[in-house]
Amino acid sequence: MNKILLAFLLLLGVSSCRSSKLSAPIFTKAPKPQVLINSVKNAQFDAELFSCKISGKYKGENQTFSFKGSLKIQKDSLIWISISPGLGLELGRFLFDEDSLYFMNRFDKTYFKSSYSDLSEKTQSPLSFSRIQALLLGNSMSKFEERKYHSEIENQAFTISSLSEKQLKKISRSRRKPDETYFTATVDPYTYRITSQGLSNLKLNRSLSIFYEDFEIHDTHNFAESIDFRILANASLSLNLAYSKINLTKKLKFPFKVPKSYEVIY
């Protein structure tokens, strides 16, 4: 179960309305960083309510399993996830609010609660509610106001990064690498939706990469129905999620009542 918790804490096949490949424009350079950032912000998924069914597959060094479940999000407030290995038996339930993460293990009858700051320190990863919400919805994990960014073009897609290619090469060659996390994203030049994004720390040799595919329109929102998470740290982990039965108007409840008999774990 700890594997499941770790997996949740943590290309380019975009469908769009194009009349033909021959009429598609050829891009020779990327927009300036701030122009690209503004376009990405304008194109982000911004529904107040979101719910769907999920199916997924987790793969670690010593364990692989598939699961199904449900995901509910109330914008900037709550994220609720229930997962099951099948047969209608709930395996665990997650609740994220603006301050903390809660996890209830139905099989082991245990309960876990932690602030994002404590989790960030334990996992050596920058965790927050906004970052988790963004990666689940295909929005940028970076708020863009924190530092200078750089834009490039690669294989007819735009990229935006907190390090330029020149800076990255210099750090890679250096023996003393800075202990900082840098952000990079690939952006579809037609829809300005993010098709991949990642966080990397070269000193710790840790990275989180996320790939978005199977985009469909949901109430004017261009949304990826398949997400591939890849975590590289001391061990390599991957998590594949597929969304179905997406609803943006249904009123949501977020049940999370922990039985008194459950053991609290830290």
Side-chain angles (χ1 to χ4, degrees), residues 120-137:
S120 296
E121 184 176 347
K122 290 176 182 177
T123 62
Q124 294 182 295
S125 301
L127 297 172
S128 66
F129 178 89
S130 60
R131 186 159 276 170
I132 294 169
Q133 176 180 254
L135 65 87
L136 288 171
L137 296 177

Side-chain angles (χ1 to χ4, degrees), residues 15-241:
S15 62
S16 57
C17 299
R18 305 174 195 171
S19 59
S20 71
K21 291 184 178 180
L22 293 177
S23 62
I26 301 299
F27 298 96
T28 58
K29 64 179 181 178
K32 292 182 178 180
Q34 194 55 53
V35 174
L36 181 55
I37 287 171
N38 291 340
S39 296
V40 169
K41 287 181 176 180
N42 290 335
Q44 72 178 357
F45 188 85
D46 198 33
E48 292 294 327
L49 297 172
F50 175 88
S51 63
C52 70
K53 296 296 182 182
I54 58 174
S55 59
K57 184 176 182 179
Y58 166 82
K59 185 176 181 181
E61 294 223 327
N62 301 312
Q63 188 179 26
T64 300
F65 61 87
S66 299
F67 60 90
K68 295 184 178 181
S70 300
L71 167 64
K72 303 175 185 178
I73 299 177
Q74 183 173 305
K75 181 185 173 183
D76 299 334
S77 177
L78 292 170
I79 300 172
W80 183 95
I81 303 172
S82 173
I83 57 174
S84 168
L87 302 177
L89 300 174
E90 187 179 44
L91 179 63
R93 189 174 294 188
F94 295 84
L95 181 67
F96 304 82
D97 64 20
E98 295 177 74
D99 302 312
S100 303
L101 158 68
Y102 309 82
F103 176 60
M104 182 166 42
N105 184 331
R106 293 291 198 185
F107 278 10
D108 295 339
K109 296 185 178 179
T110 57
Y111 166 68
F112 172 86
K113 175 187 175 181
S114 178
S115 67
Y116 297 114
S117 59
D118 286 345
L119 280 175
S120 296
E121 184 176 347
K122 290 176 182 177
T123 62
Q124 294 182 295
S125 301
L127 297 172
S128 66
F129 178 89
S130 60
R131 186 159 276 170
I132 294 169
Q133 176 180 254
L135 65 87
L136 288 171
L137 296 177
N139 294 333
S140 170
M141 292 188 292
S142 173
K143 294 183 178 180
F144 293 122
E145 288 84 12
E146 301 166 354
R147 59 199 300 178
K148 181 180 179 180
Y149 283 83
H150 308 268
S151 59
E152 303 285 346
I153 187 168
E154 183 178 348
N155 298 326
Q156 283 296 290
F158 300 146
T159 64
I160 186 163
S161 175
S162 58
L163 290 176
S164 67
E165 186 175 347
K166 183 178 180 180
Q167 290 173 320
L168 187 56
K169 287 181 179 179
K170 184 178 179 180
I171 293 174
S172 299
R173 291 193 298 264
S174 174
R175 292 184 178 181
R176 299 183 63 181
K177 295 177 172 56
D179 186 8
E180 64 176 285
T181 298
Y182 78 92
F183 170 82
T184 184
T186 303
V187 179
D188 181 271
Y190 301 94
T191 65
Y192 290 100
R193 288 290 283 156
I194 290 174
T195 54
S196 71
Q197 61 179 327
L199 296 169
S200 301
N201 187 305
L202 297 179
K203 182 175 181 178
L204 300 177
N205 195 27
R206 299 167 62 94
S207 66
L208 166 64
S209 301
I210 309 166
F211 303 89
Y212 300 93
E213 298 181 329
D214 301 325
F215 281 78
E216 297 291 344
I217 300 297
H218 294 276
D219 190 27
T220 74
H221 297 277
N222 202 11
F223 185 77
E225 296 186 351
S226 299
I227 310 178
D228 181 12
F229 301 85
R230 301 174 193 174
I231 301 171
L232 176 62
N234 295 330
S236 296
L237 310 173
S238 67
L239 176 67
N240 306 107
L241 287 181

